[in-house]
Amino acid sequence: MTNPSINNPAPSSMRPRDAATLIVVDHTASQPRILMGRRHPNQIFLPDKYVFPGGRSEIADRAIPSASELHEREIAKLLYDMKGNPSPHRARALAMAALRETYEETGLLIGTNETSTEDIALPSTADPIWQAFFAEGVQPSLSALTFLARAITPPGRPRRYDTRFFWVDAARIAKQSSPKDDELRDLGWFTFDELRQLDIPNITRAVVEDLAEHLSENNDARANWAVPYYYFKSGTFERILVRGSS
């Protein structure tokens, strides 16, 4: 008889999965507006909560071509305390996952409009979402993404993720299509005051305040942003700041 704990590890022993989230900020109004959606009530993880689009990083994300790359300072901060086998390719894949998940859940394509994307050879491992992304005539672009925050789901939850939160200006949206799934409902653009009134997870609430602080800084301070890193250690909630090399 199979031991069920082998195939279904206890939540307390579950290793967090790499994940990425993208915070899209619209600066065209008098106040910044942030894209959020409400998770489907049937979801095991954070049902019915408002969240930013995002999800797990996949191996295939590492091989997808892009029109531009992350800044070296973002890579350096992503590599800090990376679990398992850290590598720049894995750090880059996190940013690519954020773009893929955003397209899948909201229909927004972050990148550049390219008439020649049909000539770009995608790896055979590319999943259908990436194939659909390129079929839209858009090539993903990473240079405008900023690594804002990181959080590891505490032990004991039904799902555990090591999530990196990126943000990007809505001006980088190359195209809007229809969402590829219904994981997020009631998508909308919200001011900070409106966000604070939504039913959002505690860690998302903390990241919202990090974003508000980040956007209040000048360009130099934003470039040298110290990334808040949230995790539990020996049952205690920790928040440290990660600074990468310039």
Side-chain angles (χ1 to χ4, degrees):
M1 179 176 180
T2 302
N3 185 343
S5 65
I6 295 176
N7 297 319
N8 300 289
S12 59
S13 63
M14 191 181 301
R15 190 173 77 174
R17 292 284 305 271
D18 273 346
T21 283
L22 188 62
I23 307 170
V24 187
V25 183
D26 180 4
H27 288 286
T28 60
S30 59
Q31 299 180 59
R33 296 182 304 154
I34 296 94
L35 181 67
M36 293 194 90
R38 185 163 57 89
R39 284 177 61 80
H40 197 283
N42 293 334
Q43 293 290 322
I44 295 175
F45 188 72
L46 302 177
D48 238 14
K49 298 287 187 180
Y50 275 88
V51 296
F52 309 114
R56 294 183 309 189
S57 177
E58 304 291 351
I59 294 289
D61 295 329
R62 302 184 189 186
I64 301 299
S66 60
S68 65
E69 298 298 331
L70 285 173
H71 193 284
E72 290 182 0
R73 63 174 173 259
E74 308 299 335
I75 294 288
K77 287 182 277 192
L78 285 163
L79 287 173
Y80 176 84
D81 196 33
M82 181 179 280
K83 312 301 182 185
N85 299 313
S87 73
H89 281 94
R90 190 170 148 209
R92 177 187 182 274
L94 289 162
M96 295 299 290
L99 298 191
R100 173 178 51 76
E101 289 284 340
T102 297
Y103 170 56
E104 184 173 1
E105 296 178 353
T106 72
L108 298 181
L109 295 95
I110 306 297
T112 60
N113 289 295
E114 297 282 354
T115 57
S116 59
T117 50
E118 64 272 13
D119 298 325
I120 296 175
L122 290 179
S124 59
T125 54
D127 69 16
I129 298 301
W130 276 124
Q131 293 171 7
F133 189 111
F134 278 81
E136 298 275 5
V138 175
Q139 188 172 4
S141 180
L142 299 177
S143 59
L145 271 64
T146 297
F147 181 28
L148 179 76
R150 177 182 177 185
I152 298 180
T153 310
R157 303 298 193 271
R159 296 284 188 275
R160 295 192 69 205
Y161 298 105
D162 188 346
T163 304
R164 285 70 162 193
F165 295 80
F166 298 88
W167 86 269
V168 70
D169 195 304
R172 300 292 180 165
I173 298 172
K175 186 176 181 181
Q176 180 162 8
S177 183
S178 57
K180 301 307 173 189
D181 63 29
D182 63 349
E183 187 169 322
L184 290 185
R185 307 189 303 171
D186 302 330
L187 284 165
W189 297 88
F190 304 93
T191 66
F192 281 108
D193 286 342
E194 291 168 340
L195 280 180
R196 294 176 179 119
Q197 302 305 312
L198 295 177
D199 184 8
I200 59 179
N202 289 336
I203 191 60
T204 304
R205 196 171 299 279
V207 173
V208 165
E209 298 309 321
D210 291 331
L211 177 65
E213 178 183 350
H214 178 84
L215 294 182
S216 71
E217 302 278 11
N218 60 35
N219 288 338
D220 287 342
R222 288 187 190 181
N224 295 298
W225 173 253
V227 173
Y229 175 16
Y230 300 92
Y231 62 97
F232 275 77
K233 182 179 180 180
S234 302
T236 301
F237 184 71
E238 302 279 349
R239 180 185 188 270
I240 64 172
L241 298 178
V242 177
R243 301 179 185 274
S245 58
S246 299

